Amino acid sequence: MRTGSMRTAEVSLPAIRHNVRRIRDLTGGQVIAVIKANGYGHGAEIAARAAIEGGAALLGVTDLEEAMALRERGVTAPILSWLHGVRADFEAAVTADIEIGVSHLAQLDALAEAAERVGRPAVVQFKVDTGLSRNGAAPAEWSPLFARAVELQHEGRVRVRGIFSHLANAGEAEDRAQASRFDAAVDTLRHAGIEPELVHLAASAATFSSPHLHYNTVRVGVTVYGLSPFPDRSSADLGLIPAMTLKSEIVGV
């Protein structure tokens, strides 16, 4: 027996579209809308479609399971996935045209081997560690990693599209120090012979607080859904619209 829903979560797709447009207009660059964790609880598929309609250039997810689930639901937009276990199915990812965030040389080689078996190049974005210490290539790895990527790109097994890192959000001075390390990583990649199309460091907080960290792309999560990343600034202060409204039936007073 069903008694009907006493509680609902309404998700506004126009709000998600508005928020992505707001971020794109603010930064003047490309927007990667992060759809991990079921679209932060808003529904991955509907959030993904609304974000793309709002002008997002890519969708970001944590792992390949999330990426493949979007593909299985018919989402054809570019998707970047950046956290991979040792048993990650790179063949399926390359076949499904998922962009892979690569953090280590062994990971790059495994991806290239998968791409060779599939018969098409894998699209790569390098994730580098600049101080958060949560996944990403350490500075000592940058030169050999990028040099190997150049070899594999010449062989037609990979195509390097971008480079990114993640801020620890530990303060303005720390952010600038991380940006300096990130600049060094980008320079190292360029010196190796690869000009990245997408360069992204700023997540939601830095997108609204630090224009000097925008580069040519930002990678945003909570602000896509209209939430403020700051304790002292509301969604309205940032020009965002919260996408979710929770409603419940009153059954007793």
Side-chain angles (χ1 to χ4, degrees), residues 154-169:
H154 286 161
E155 294 171 5
R157 291 198 277 170
V158 304
R159 179 172 73 85
V160 179
R161 190 179 183 206
I163 184 171
F164 66 108
S165 187
H166 202 299
L167 293 169
N169 294 323

Side-chain angles (χ1 to χ4, degrees), residues 51-234:
I52 292 297
E53 290 165 0
L58 287 89
L59 304 171
V61 298
T62 303
D63 56 39
L64 292 179
E65 286 78 8
E66 292 179 320
M68 296 303 292
L70 287 172
R71 285 286 186 259
E72 290 165 4
R73 292 177 174 87
V75 175
T76 59
I79 300 174
L80 170 65
S81 172
W82 54 75
L83 186 63
H84 317 293
V86 294
R87 292 178 295 277
D89 189 349
F90 287 139
E91 286 190 37
V94 174
T95 300
D97 200 22
I98 307 297
E99 298 186 22
I100 305 298
V102 169
S103 299
H104 304 290
L105 185 57
Q107 204 172 62
L108 178 63
D109 282 332
L111 179 61
E113 290 170 6
E116 186 169 19
R117 289 192 294 270
V118 170
R120 59 184 296 185
V123 181
V124 169
Q125 294 199 40
F126 287 117
K127 185 175 185 185
V128 295
D129 179 28
T130 56
L132 178 61
S133 299
R134 189 188 73 187
N135 193 32
E141 299 177 88
W142 296 346
S143 290
L145 179 63
F146 300 160
R148 179 60 174 151
V150 171
E151 294 175 0
L152 293 171
Q153 189 159 268
H154 286 161
E155 294 171 5
R157 291 198 277 170
V158 304
R159 179 172 73 85
V160 179
R161 190 179 183 206
I163 184 171
F164 66 108
S165 187
H166 202 299
L167 293 169
N169 294 323
E172 183 177 354
E174 291 80 1
D175 285 356
R176 288 186 179 276
Q178 280 196 251
S180 179
R181 289 189 286 271
F182 184 57
D183 290 341
V186 176
D187 287 344
T188 302
L189 182 61
R190 287 173 172 151
H191 184 72
I194 296 175
E195 180 61 38
E197 176 188 343
L198 302 175
V199 180
H200 44 114
L201 176 64
S204 287
T207 294
F208 281 87
S209 67
S210 306
H212 60 285
L213 301 180
H214 288 169
Y215 295 89
N216 67 7
T217 307
V218 296
R219 189 184 62 255
V220 287
V222 294
T223 48
V224 168
Y225 309 97
L227 304 177
S228 172
F230 308 111
D232 58 348
R233 299 171 69 186
S234 68

Side-chain angles (χ1 to χ4, degrees), residues 11-13 16-17 20 33-54 56 58-59 70 75 221 224-225 243:
V11 177
S12 169
L13 303 186
I16 293 175
R17 297 185 196 107
V20 173
V34 179
I35 313 294
K36 66 181 182 181
N38 193 30
Y40 287 68
H42 292 70
E45 179 187 349
I46 62 172
R49 295 186 188 280
I52 292 297
E53 290 165 0
L58 287 89
L59 304 171
L70 287 172
V75 175
V224 168
Y225 309 97

